Each structure stands twice: as C-alpha cells, then as structure tokens.
Amino acid sequence: MTDLNDYRFTETHEWVHLREDGLFYVGITDHAQEEITDIVFVDLPESGRVVNAGDELLLVDSVKASFSIYAPVSGTVERSNEALANSPELVNSSPYEDGWLVALKPSDTADTDSLMTHDQYLAFVESQQ
Amino acid sequence: MTKLSPLDAWHREHGGRMVDFAGWELPVQFSSVIQEHIAVRQAAGLFDISHMAQADVSGPRALDWLQYMLPNNIDVKVGRGVYSPMCNFQGGIIDDLYVFRLGEERFFLVMNASREEADLAWLRQHQFSEVTLDARSSRAGIALQGPHAEAVLSAVVPEATSLSRNGVIETELTQARVIVSRTGYTGEDGFELFVPAVSAAAIWEALYKSGQHFGLVAAGLGARDTLRLEMGYPLYGHEGSENCTPYDIGYGWTVKLQKNSDFIGREALESQQRTGIEHKLIGLILDERGVPRQGWTVTSDGRARGVVTSGTHSPSLNRGICLALVDSGAGEPYKLEHNGKTFSAHAVELPFYKEAGARRRQELILQ
C-alpha cells in the first residue's frame, strides 16, 4: 500500500514523490484520473527537457478531451514511464504507482515546501466541490 | 437555465456524470465511455435522447410542404423514415433530421437539440396553409442500440421487433402513445422510442430490466459520440453548418434533384453540382499514437488543405480517428498538425469500423 504521506500535491492535481534514486517522480492524483476518466494517450516528453515549476509538462488524452499536466517542481526530465505508451490506462488503475508519468532530476531551486500534504490536498479537493 | 430530461433522477441515482449539452443536462457517461461503447458493439446500450427535438406535421398538404422544405424525397410509404438535411436558399445546412411517415398526411420529425429553435423558426417562416406543425415540449426519447436490441425490446414492445431498418410504428405503451423506429446513431441494430415525458421513466426501467439478461448498460453522450464517429456519421455543428452544403460533406445522396417538386436550396445545389464541389469530407486514421481533435490542421504534401471537424480515440480500433473537411483536390500523404506537432495519418473509406451490425446479420443467417 502506497504511503501517500511522503507524496506532495499541487492544486492542479499532480503529485510528486522523491524516491531512492534521488529523482522526483511525478503523476496525477486519483481524483484527477477519476475526473479525466479513460486515459487513452499520454504524450510523454523527451528526456533532457528542462521545466520550471508550473510549466506544462505533458498532455494526457481521455476519449473526450486533452488535459494539460504541469510540473510540480523545477527540473530536467530524466525519463518517462515508457509503459504508458502501450498501456496509458495504467494512469487510471494505478495513479500513484505504475501510472507515474515522468521522473525529474530536480534543479537546485526545486522544493516541495509550498506543496500540499495528502491530507491538505484531500481538504482542498473537498473545498472545490 | 439548463433543461432536465424526464430521466434526470434515474441518471443521478445510477452514477451518471452530468454535463451540459445543447442546453440540456445529460450524462456523458455512467461507468466508462470505453466500456459503454464496447457494450453497445457487443450487447446493448440504452441512451437518453430526450434532448432531440420532436415535432408533428399534419394536414392535406403536409407531404407537399415537407417536399418543399427538405432536399431528400419524403414521399416514402407510411411506416417508413427518411434522413434529410434541411437547407437554406444558398444550400447551406440548417440542420439534419429524420422524418417518419405515420400516415398519408401525418409525419413526425426528429431534429438536433442544438437546432431546435432555429429549425422551428425556419419551418414556421415557410409553413404552408393547411399544414399543422406542433413541436413536442413535454417529450422524452430513448435509444436502444446494439446486437441484442431486438431481444431486449421484444419483452417491452413485441410488435416493434418486426420493423425493418428505418421502419416506424405507433403503438400504446404504459397507456401512452409512443413512436418506435428501427433507427439509431451507432451503426448497430437498434430502435428509438419517442414517448411522452410522463411515461419515460417507466419505459426506460422496463427496457433496462429486460436488458439485464443481455448485458445491456446505460450509456452516455461520450459513447454516443465515439460510436457515431467510428461510423463516420456527421454531427451538426461539426460536419454540417449553414456555411456548407450537403455536397460539401459528401452527403449528396440526401439531395434528390430528380424529385419532381421544387425545394428550398434546389437552385443553389443544382448550380453547385454543375460548377463542381470544392470540399470533401474524409476519414483519417492516425498512424501513430495520439488523439486528433476538432480544429487540427490537415496537410497534404506539406500544404494546409483542411481542418479536423471531429476527432476521438476509437475504442474498437484502439487508434486515433477523425473526420476532416479538406479541399476536394487534396490527397495522400496526409498529415495532421497541432501546436507545432505533426502526426502521420492515412485516409480510409468510411465507416472506420466495418463490423457494425455483423452480429445481427450473422444471427439472421443462422435462424
């Protein structure tokens, strides 16, 4: 079971998680995948792309529409989740694990202090409804 | 103020995700667009089409009037339906609609929700004397679609199961007068029921219950759109507008220049046929992963030649598909462009999905 207490969250419904390889893994929240519904395409970025926190990182497509996913922290795309090329539905079935989107090598200024904890995020989602 | 379907409460109780569509609040999906799509292709689906505009036309000159209003030939046998565009004097499409002949002098029209006001205003503006036009306001519509549609319907409206494609009957159901046609927007076998608002919930429940043995699911607007797009069927506002004619979207077969009555738009359409058609509607399949969307540019040999009118992910083909309006001279190799990205694509003969109705046909052969 994923311990979401180590994850940090944005108001645009991304999560970021620092893992043992020193990379910030980025994905979308369970709430986001539920809202987007059947994900059929993830437009994965090339490795080496530099992004600032808040920049558009990639697009995911449901049957009905395209959705922009933003970088939660600044950094360089180290790698993308290649499994999503053939199985984009992993984002729906496992948003916090197998359905991660990209791993970012953090820039010197990258920080997650301004992001929400899981409890704060859940309260945020509640407040938006 | 959005309009609510008579089935609104049922949708909410069953997890329908409600969205605004042409001024109506309707479910875009219940479980998943893809699951609902597959259920309709393999079993059956039930759609709320209460937003579709309904109107009765009657009178001694009803046929003459509809022949004048519509380019297709409306002089079909009683108990038959016909699809037609409705054009303005320039040949531009005001709407596309279904006309059902319920009697020698009695017809029933089904029009797009988004065009209800425009259609009724146009129809009234050109109405003949001795013709009555009554728009139904307290209405509901239910589409039952899929290879098991006939089996599902047989427990509820057995007398309608003998209808052939585009056939229509009027009958009594839950003490209400209902119209049942063998029509639909999915490419599969199926029926559409046009019923009074007060009877909608009972009839929907009866069909839903009957369908449980056959894998029927409630389906939303999302699946309705992917199903119609796999068939290459036009959707007004995407394929078809007042700025283009039926010829421009490859629907010349709905214009019967040989019919011996004048009709609005005839002169313009005859002239367009003589001088040549500048556009064509094509179906494109993406050669790589991606989902084309309305507004993307279509290029051919590196030049912009047209625009995507509707695009989606095809659940049956597991590929991106789209309809596009392009210059009539455009040809392969096609590419799609959006935001600086290029996707290679190739044109295919429509429909995209060629197996629709196959199960039903096979069952008929085996009987």
Side-chain angles (χ1 to χ4, degrees):
Chain A
M1 187 68 202
T2 312
D3 183 4
L4 294 176
N5 289 321
D6 294 337
Y7 286 54
R8 290 296 174 270
F9 298 82
T10 67
E11 291 191 354
T12 45
H13 309 285
E14 293 87 10
W15 57 257
V16 57
H17 184 217
L18 178 61
R19 293 192 178 161
E20 285 171 3
D21 55 8
L23 298 176
F24 279 106
Y25 284 70
V26 176
I28 64 169
T29 66
D30 189 44
H31 172 73
Q33 70 78 18
E34 239 175 56
E35 287 292 310
I36 294 172
T37 70
D38 301 315
I39 291 171
V40 294
F41 178 59
V42 181
D43 189 13
L44 296 168
E46 305 261 317
S47 296
R49 215 180 107 199
V50 178
V51 290
N52 290 314
D55 285 356
E56 186 181 282
L57 186 59
L58 54 88
L59 295 172
V60 302
D61 278 276
S62 74
V63 177
K64 289 294 286 176
S66 276
F67 299 84
S68 296
I69 308 301
Y70 302 96
V73 294
S74 303
T76 306
V77 175
E78 184 75 10
R79 59 173 185 271
S80 295
N81 186 355
E82 296 298 335
L84 301 181
N86 286 318
S87 304
E89 68 280 0
L90 286 173
V91 182
N92 291 116
S93 58
S94 177
Y96 295 117
E97 296 283 350
D98 300 340
W100 63 276
L101 300 171
V102 299
L104 293 173
K105 189 175 179 178
S107 72
D108 297 341
T109 58
D111 82 87
T112 57
D113 292 350
S114 59
L115 301 178
M116 292 179 276
T117 65
H118 189 235
D119 286 344
Q120 288 169 333
Y121 173 72
L122 292 179
F124 168 75
V125 169
E126 185 106 335
S127 74
Q128 297 291 299
Q129 313 229 312
Chain B
M1 185 64 191
T2 53
K3 289 173 236 168
L4 297 184
S5 155
L7 298 164
D8 186 77
W10 194 95
H11 301 328
R12 288 173 200 275
E13 279 165 28
H14 292 79
R17 187 181 293 228
M18 309 304 282
V19 297
D20 179 84
F21 180 77
W24 289 75
E25 239 175 87
L26 288 166
V28 65
Q29 64 170 68
F30 291 89
S31 56
S32 137
V33 173
I34 292 177
Q35 283 172 26
E36 290 160 24
H37 179 109
I38 291 167
V40 172
R41 289 272 180 253
Q42 298 185 347
L46 208 52
F47 299 83
D48 182 356
I49 54 166
S50 300
H51 57 301
M52 302 290 287
Q54 303 176 18
D56 295 278
V57 173
S58 60
R61 294 194 68 202
L63 175 63
D64 291 346
W65 181 56
L66 290 172
Q67 288 284 50
Y68 174 67
M69 295 306 296
L70 304 170
N72 207 339
N73 181 23
I74 309 306
D75 192 6
V76 292
K77 287 185 181 146
V78 172
R80 305 292 305 163
V82 55
Y83 168 84
S84 180
M86 178 158 70
C87 292
N88 60 28
F89 287 97
Q90 292 74 45
I93 305 169
I94 293 172
D95 196 6
D96 59 342
L97 49 90
Y98 245 94
V99 182
F100 295 102
R101 190 166 197 177
L102 303 177
E104 286 299 329
E105 298 179 355
R106 221 154 50 78
F107 297 83
F108 178 63
L109 313 185
V110 180
M111 300 159 279
N112 281 302
S114 61
R115 302 299 289 166
E116 182 167 9
E117 276 179 39
D119 289 352
L120 291 173
W122 180 258
L123 287 165
R124 286 186 180 122
Q125 193 184 334
H126 299 281
Q127 196 170 342
F128 286 4
S129 57
E130 297 175 70
V131 171
T132 309
L133 169 68
D134 286 318
R136 295 188 178 186
S137 53
S138 179
R139 64 175 185 244
I142 299 169
L144 166 64
Q145 301 282 297
H148 296 325
E150 185 181 296
V152 174
L153 190 74
S154 65
V156 183
V157 201
E159 63 272 34
T161 56
S162 57
L163 287 172
S164 59
R165 189 83 191 152
N166 283 336
V168 65
I169 56 160
E170 272 180 297
T171 186
E172 290 263 324
L173 200 56
T174 66
Q175 292 168 341
R177 205 173 64 98
V178 304
I179 293 171
V180 183
S181 62
R182 197 160 200 152
T183 49
Y185 199 38
T186 62
E188 299 298 335
D189 184 28
F191 300 85
E192 291 175 304
L193 294 85
F194 304 98
V195 309
V198 288
S199 313
I203 294 170
W204 176 279
E205 275 291 358
L207 292 168
Y208 190 73
K209 196 172 152 214
S210 162
Q212 294 314 298
H213 305 291
F214 301 100
L216 173 140
V217 302
L221 294 170
R224 188 168 160 82
D225 194 53
T226 52
L227 288 157
R228 72 99 187 165
L229 207 37
E230 280 189 350
M231 296 308 295
Y233 294 158
L235 172 61
Y236 193 85
H238 292 255
E239 297 78 30
S241 73
E242 295 199 23
N243 299 318
C244 73
T245 73
Y247 291 123
D248 290 325
I249 60 164
Y251 268 60
W253 63 271
T254 62
V255 178
K256 299 293 195 295
L257 295 176
Q258 67 276 23
K259 78 174 178 180
N260 55 10
S261 58
D262 189 22
F263 60 86
I264 295 178
R266 178 191 269 274
E267 211 173 308
L269 291 166
E270 276 174 345
S271 156
Q272 190 190 16
Q273 230 209 5
R274 274 198 308 273
T275 56
I277 295 150
E278 291 170 6
H279 300 104
K280 61 180 177 183
L281 190 75
I282 57 167
L284 295 171
I285 295 189
L286 255 63
D287 296 324
E288 51 196 295
R289 292 186 174 276
V291 187
R293 303 290 182 192
Q294 185 183 15
W296 286 23
T297 302
V298 181
T299 66
S300 151
D301 274 331
R303 285 199 302 145
R305 300 299 295 270
V307 67
V308 172
T309 51
S310 292
T312 194
H313 169 85
S314 159
S316 302
L317 308 178
N318 197 22
R319 296 281 271 299
I321 58 171
C322 64
L323 294 173
L325 198 58
V326 300
D327 300 340
S328 52
E332 302 278 9
Y334 287 110
K335 285 192 188 311
L336 291 167
E337 287 188 8
H338 177 65
N339 271 352
K341 284 195 181 168
T342 304
F343 297 80
S344 72
H346 67 275
V348 291
E349 202 176 311
L350 296 172
F352 292 105
Y353 177 69
K354 309 204 191 289
E355 311 304 316
R359 268 166 203 261
R360 159 87 184 145
R361 283 195 294 276
Q362 197 166 18
E363 278 162 23
L364 287 177
I365 291 164
L366 292 174
Q367 270 168 16

